[in-house]
Amino acid sequence: MKLRKVTAAASVALALAVTATACGGDDSDGDKGSSGGKKITIGIKFDQPGIGQKTPDGKYTGFDVDVATYVAKQLGYSAGNIEWKEAKSADRETMLQRGDVDFIAASYSINDERAAKVDFAGPYLLAHQDVLIRANDNTIKDPKDLNNKKLCSVTGSTSAQNVKDELAPKAQLQEYGGYSECLTGVENKAIDALTTDDSILAGYASQAEFKGKFKLGGFKMTNENYGIGVKKGSDLKAKINTALEKMVSDGSWDKAVKANFGPANYKNEPAPKIGNIVK
């Protein structure tokens, strides 16, 4: 409503000011979220069950989602004020540098190359490269048993090549378009094993349609320290670290691990200490 003249009664102006304050004060950020508060934008994976997944009904599930939601709450944002954005592996640093997201929790392993471009809070999970095999397959008990076996990973991943280079030079590498395709291949015996981070493998194996069909090898071939990425120099790093420490201390971290990975009998490492990067 536009006031015609400054000569309007002072009492009316005062009433308007009081009403604005009672309704939440400054609305310069516009209507953001159901509660009218500011939103926080978080990058996650949309296609990794158990880690970060956007379900057909538009919901977001997974360990990273649970961690990010907890952190956001500690920063003062309700679940309804979170805006989720897909953070594909190749786009993560760029998204943070451009300010597309406030932080990223997306199976984001901390390494020197990435740490030169962005900052990391955490780590909040220590994962390892492993293999997923059929539950009744007792022929693969050690990485060297992958020699002469058909080993699958997704196109663009270096996981299978790492195994061939370092552990099983006679492994027969197979590249599929996605992890689900690899899983189908393992289930149908077209593939002997699928390799990537054990947390990702556990997430897939925990899905209802796969329960009881697969098992993890438990080989711990590499160390993958999952961190929460923030823009270089952001003061969010310290605040997120505080939130992660609280998540561990109040039991919420253990609860999230069991909820997302438990059905696959995932033998997770204890919650890592903030700043402790296991090489």
Side-chain angles (χ1 to χ4, degrees):
M1 176 179 177
K2 185 176 180 181
L3 297 178
R4 294 180 181 179
K5 292 185 179 181
V6 182
T7 53
S11 59
V12 174
L14 178 60
L16 287 172
V18 171
T19 301
T21 302
C23 292
D26 185 4
D27 65 348
S28 58
D29 289 308
D31 183 14
K32 296 184 177 182
S34 58
S35 67
K38 295 180 181 179
K39 280 200 172 187
I40 188 168
T41 305
I42 303 173
I44 57 170
K45 290 296 180 73
F46 278 14
D47 59 353
Q48 288 183 348
I51 296 288
Q53 183 182 30
K54 183 178 181 180
T55 60
D57 59 359
K59 295 181 180 178
Y60 300 91
T61 64
F63 181 70
D64 282 351
V65 175
D66 289 346
V67 170
T69 301
Y70 185 98
V71 168
K73 184 178 180 181
Q74 297 304 307
L75 295 176
Y77 299 90
S78 67
N81 283 332
I82 297 174
E83 179 182 351
W84 302 106
K85 280 194 175 182
E86 184 174 17
K88 294 182 179 180
S89 296
D91 299 334
R92 291 177 295 200
E93 286 84 38
T94 302
M95 291 176 71
L96 289 168
Q97 291 168 339
R98 285 193 312 226
D100 296 341
V101 292
D102 294 293
F103 68 79
I104 290 178
S107 55
Y108 203 0
S109 296
I110 302 170
N111 61 37
D112 292 340
E113 181 181 356
R114 291 168 179 165
K117 300 175 182 177
V118 302
D119 284 343
F120 284 99
Y124 63 91
L125 183 72
L126 176 58
H128 307 280
Q129 186 180 340
D130 202 352
V131 296
L132 195 71
I133 57 181
R134 289 181 293 278
N136 60 359
D137 186 347
N138 296 313
T139 66
I140 302 175
K141 299 178 180 179
D142 186 270
K144 69 178 184 295
D145 294 332
L146 294 167
N147 281 309
N148 302 311
K149 298 286 190 180
K150 292 179 180 178
L151 180 64
C152 187
S153 193
V154 299
T155 303
S157 170
T158 60
S159 298
Q161 188 64 50
N162 289 342
V163 173
K164 185 175 177 68
D165 290 345
E166 304 292 335
L167 300 168
K170 295 182 180 179
Q172 301 172 27
L173 304 188
Q174 308 285 322
E175 280 195 346
Y176 282 29
Y179 292 116
S180 295
E181 295 172 46
C182 284
L183 276 173
T184 299
V186 175
E187 184 178 10
N188 296 336
K189 299 185 179 181
I191 298 295
D192 296 302
L194 160 63
T195 185
T196 188
D197 295 358
D198 53 7
S199 56
I200 296 173
L201 296 174
Y204 274 98
S206 295
Q207 301 307 292
E209 65 268 34
F210 297 133
K211 284 181 182 177
K213 294 183 178 181
F214 305 105
K215 63 183 178 182
L216 291 166
F219 297 158
K220 298 185 178 181
M221 295 181 279
T222 63
N223 295 319
E224 307 296 337
N225 299 271
Y226 286 6
I228 293 180
V230 298
K231 191 173 184 177
K232 202 74 174 173
S234 172
D235 62 358
L236 275 180
K237 176 180 176 179
K239 295 176 182 179
I240 292 173
N241 279 335
T242 299
L244 291 173
E245 289 174 335
K246 183 176 180 181
M247 186 177 188
V248 173
S249 66
D250 70 12
S252 297
W253 187 90
D254 283 322
K255 183 178 179 181
V257 168
K258 291 176 183 177
N260 292 290
F261 305 131
N265 295 317
Y266 174 55
K267 295 178 177 61
N268 64 283
E269 299 278 5
K273 292 186 181 297
I274 298 300
N276 183 24
I277 310 300
V278 180
K279 299 294 187 180

